[in-house]
Amino acid sequence: MTFEYNFAFIDENAKKEIRRKLLKAIAIPGHQVPFASRELPIARGWGTGGLQITMAIIGPEDVLKVIDQGCDGSVNAVNLRKLISKTTGVRTTFETHKATIIQTRHRIPEVPMKEGQILVFQVPLPEPLRLVEPSEAETRRMHSEKDYSRLWVTLYEDIVKWGSISIGASYPCKVNGHYVMSPSPIPKWDIYKLHQSECLYLFGAGREKRIYAVPPYTDVEPLQFADKPFEVESFEGLCCCRCGAVDAYLDEIYDEETGCKYHVCSDTGYCDSRLGGLERNGL
Amino acid sequence: MLNVVNLSKTFTMHIRGGKKILSFKNVSFSAAKGEFIGVTGPSGIGKSSLLKCIYRTYLPTEGDIWYTDSTGKEYNLSSADDHTVLKLRRNELGYISQFFHVIPRVSALEILSGALISRGQDRQASIERAKELLERMNISPSLWDMFPSTFSGGEKQRLNIIHAIITRPRLLMLDEPTASLDPKTRHEVVNLILELKSEGTAMIGVFHDYDTLNKLADSRIDLKEGRGCVYA
Amino acid sequence: MDCDKLILKVNNLSKKFGKGCSQCEKLTGPEHNSNVCPKCGTVVALQDISFELYQGEILGIVGESGSGKSSLVQCLYFDQEASHGEAYLCCFDNGLSNILKAPESKKRFIRNHMMGMVYQNSVRGLRLNVTSGGNIAEKLLSADMFHFESIRARGKELLGKTEIPLYYMDEMPKRLSGGMQQRVQIAKALANNPPLLLLDEVTTGLDVSVQAKVLDLIKSLQQDLNISMIVVSHDLGVIRLLTNRTIVLKNGRIVEKGLTDQVLEDPQHAYAQLLVHSML
């Protein structure tokens, strides 16, 4: 017995609703737009926000790439890719420059994305102010009035306590001079890629039922004190043990047998393409 | 400078069933620049109340208190708004009470120099002036940095006098300022008052001590049961 | 020093809790000894409150509990929304706009830049889980001061002014004593040099020696900074020590207003007389 699913699984009315919300989100960069998050055959918290956006915007001509922490091969990425391609029949790819839509968890690809490409983020916690304010009504007021002093205080307290800001991932950013947004838990390394980018960034939080966006060529600046500039992770002196890259975000891998630590590109598509290139060059 | 017309004060005690207590009635007099008006009469007749009405610590029940300030502007102190009265108190009016309300935990020197500094005068000059007057009033330099709450009654009273005159008010109310002083200090106080008087300060004073009063007063108002009469 | 400068002008401020009816104003007030309307049950917390405050002046507000003292300052600080009335602040739109009707974002600007508030309970004025320095930083950050070392320097300056040892700067207020918390609150309230400071029963509940220190601090700050203040207190001793003018509230109405020495020595209204004669 086979089931007939609609193209991209969810029904057309639901997609329309999501697209309307996306348009609003793009019109107000960084502003969280509530949407009616649908039930999906995967659990909430497993990328359903990103998935719904992808399904709402994808067409038969699109080329899809799905990554999880930069990796095309992890379980979550594979499952999502299979679900989307099965219900749409679109082509998939591992190469960033070939994709028209990339759905991602926790990373922005190393290869700069171009005009016409869309990066869809899976967002666990869309509200950067939740840390300091439990009330939704209050955080909405704070956003509307640009009242971010309490968020700044957490940065101040961090510096007082630790000498520097200790936020690792999901570093709060000001978008287009107004809304402070959580960029989803991407590393600080990726923050600058959000600024004045050529591609469109869409953010979906399925469990929290929020959509937001950063349109192309929009200012995105990490919150920073004038005398304590924002700093990205440093991999000085390290390189990828597979492809030798020194300009990529590296994951640390610990070998239990040898007790050695080595580093590898977090973006597997980037790493593989470099290896392919290196191999082609006979190295 | 000061023209009091038909001034009356009656206290209405609401918490005693609205009982009315007459303090004084239909008092009229005037004081010119540098003039000293002595107020006399038996105790309880309303001498202090009269001074307090002019200073507006009491609200007069009837009558007018016309006061001309240093710029020639005339005010009726019995009906002027609070802000105006505060401004005049700060710049032109002085009041020496029988009792000294000590500002707690502020040294004698600070209280006195503060009175000048808060009027925008130079800090060092203010301190010098305060020291000069403390010396003249025979207050031992060892006390200058002490809190006046620890002073004797006479010392407090002398401080009180300095506090009122250090700003050189144009109109000064004196309510038995010399009552608790020894003859030597009293003499010094009288000299200070005369000095201020010669500089043009008009004064209204209550003194039980007729010797002192005679030395100071240019004219006298004798308050009698319910009304005041002016003697030349 | 310009003592003639009007800092705050309040006209006919009213605050009602409840839907209100046409009889509310007539059937409540000191003559009925109640602020609850017998017809509709509305609480008339404040009715027709008008006053002025000049530069460098300290205005006292006294009255029994429930008389509307705290409601008054809270309406001015936008903690509560006034039902009717106008308030003009000299530094906001040159005193031409009613701040009570300002948009929310403007109200927040006024709170952060033009007013400081010190509450009786420091839980309301401080974040007890944020360091003392962080509490002050919040005010500065809300005024768009984003230079870390400048924020630290200003924090140190304010804590120095309020006589808090600097090693408490990076300590959370929940670990400080009540008197110390009040002083941190004052430092926070002063952070952006507001022309108006509101003090709501700041010394209530402190023991006398600590109370004296806080009062001395307020007095010296007033002299040094020439800041205008509204001091709410049920303690006539505090009122006598700090204020130039005093308003006596009863059942949400002003029953007496005048120079502080006049209100304390020659009160006119029956309730004000009762209050003054109840002084220990």
Side-chain angles (χ1 to χ4, degrees), chain B residues 213-225:
Chain B
L213 191 64
N214 287 335
K215 271 185 222 160
L216 294 170
D218 299 306
S219 61
R220 274 163 52 181
I221 318 160
D222 197 25
L223 290 185
K224 288 183 175 160
E225 201 61 42

Side-chain angles (χ1 to χ4, degrees), chain C residues 46-66:
Chain C
L46 292 168
Q47 181 68 44
D48 286 333
I49 305 294
S50 303
F51 63 88
E52 292 99 44
L53 183 68
Y54 290 85
Q55 170 113 51
E57 216 174 43
I58 308 189
L59 176 71
I61 297 177
V62 288
E64 60 194 0
S65 9

Side-chain angles (χ1 to χ4, degrees), chain C residues 32-89:
Chain C
H32 302 279
N33 200 20
S34 164
N35 60 4
V36 183
C37 174
K39 279 262 160 53
C40 66
T42 294
V43 176
V44 183
L46 292 168
Q47 181 68 44
D48 286 333
I49 305 294
S50 303
F51 63 88
E52 292 99 44
L53 183 68
Y54 290 85
Q55 170 113 51
E57 216 174 43
I58 308 189
L59 176 71
I61 297 177
V62 288
E64 60 194 0
S65 9
S67 59
K69 310 187 291 289
S70 292
S71 286
L72 178 52
V73 282
Q74 285 176 13
C75 281
L76 292 175
Y77 198 60
F78 315 118
D79 280 342
Q80 293 180 20
E81 198 179 337
S83 310
H84 293 285
E86 297 152 12
Y88 300 92
L89 199 60

Side-chain angles (χ1 to χ4, degrees), chain B:
Chain B
M1 185 194 291
L2 181 75
N3 192 17
V4 176
V5 185
N6 286 329
L7 197 68
S8 305
K9 175 65 188 170
T10 305
F11 294 96
T12 307
M13 304 298 288
H14 294 287
I15 54 171
R16 278 276 171 271
K19 192 175 163 192
K20 288 192 191 294
I21 302 161
L22 176 70
S23 181
F24 58 84
K25 203 175 164 187
N26 294 335
V27 173
S28 301
F29 67 94
S30 56
K33 198 170 173 230
E35 194 178 4
F36 193 112
I37 312 279
V39 184
T40 55
S43 58
I45 201 76
K47 302 187 293 295
S48 297
S49 299
L50 175 61
L51 298 194
K52 285 188 175 179
C53 278
I54 298 169
Y55 198 63
R56 257 289 280 284
T57 298
Y58 288 171
L59 273 180
T61 315
E62 271 174 75
D64 302 314
I65 305 162
W66 294 104
Y67 173 76
T68 314
D69 78 358
S70 52
T71 64
K73 202 171 165 197
E74 201 173 39
Y75 299 93
N76 187 351
L77 294 180
S78 63
S79 58
D81 66 74
D82 295 337
H83 177 66
T84 306
V85 176
L86 275 179
K87 199 169 71 174
L88 289 173
R89 280 186 183 182
R90 191 160 41 231
N91 300 323
E92 310 206 349
L93 307 182
Y95 181 83
I96 307 176
S97 68
Q98 287 163 283
F99 312 103
F100 184 41
H101 287 297
V102 202
I103 306 169
R105 301 173 299 280
V106 184
S107 78
L109 198 56
E110 279 178 75
I111 291 180
L112 299 178
S113 58
L116 290 176
I117 294 166
S118 70
R119 284 164 177 80
Q121 299 203 20
D122 176 69
R123 185 170 194 91
Q124 203 49 47
S126 303
I127 292 172
E128 290 309 317
R129 172 79 179 141
K131 284 183 178 170
E132 179 198 326
L133 288 169
L134 282 164
E135 215 157 291
R136 276 189 74 177
M137 286 285 109
N138 298 316
I139 293 181
S140 154
S142 62
L143 290 177
W144 295 359
D145 288 328
M146 304 290 276
F147 298 155
S149 52
T150 61
F151 287 16
S152 75
E155 284 161 347
K156 277 185 196 167
Q157 188 54 21
R158 276 176 272 167
L159 209 58
N160 196 12
I161 294 165
I162 302 172
H163 188 247
I165 66 173
I166 194 167
T167 57
R168 297 191 169 88
R170 288 183 75 239
L171 174 64
L172 180 62
M173 268 66 74
L174 306 106
D175 195 354
E176 305 208 33
T178 56
S180 52
L181 302 181
D182 60 75
K184 184 171 172 256
T185 320
R186 185 179 306 157
H187 180 71
E188 197 56 50
V189 170
V190 169
N191 282 344
L192 260 179
I193 292 172
L194 283 172
E195 220 171 85
L196 210 58
K197 186 168 166 329
S198 68
E199 286 171 19
T201 299
M203 304 188 196
I204 325 287
V206 175
F207 286 85
H208 271 144
D209 165 13
Y210 277 80
D211 273 353
T212 310
L213 191 64
N214 287 335
K215 271 185 222 160
L216 294 170
D218 299 306
S219 61
R220 274 163 52 181
I221 318 160
D222 197 25
L223 290 185
K224 288 183 175 160
E225 201 61 42
R227 59 179 298 124
C229 312
V230 182
Y231 293 79

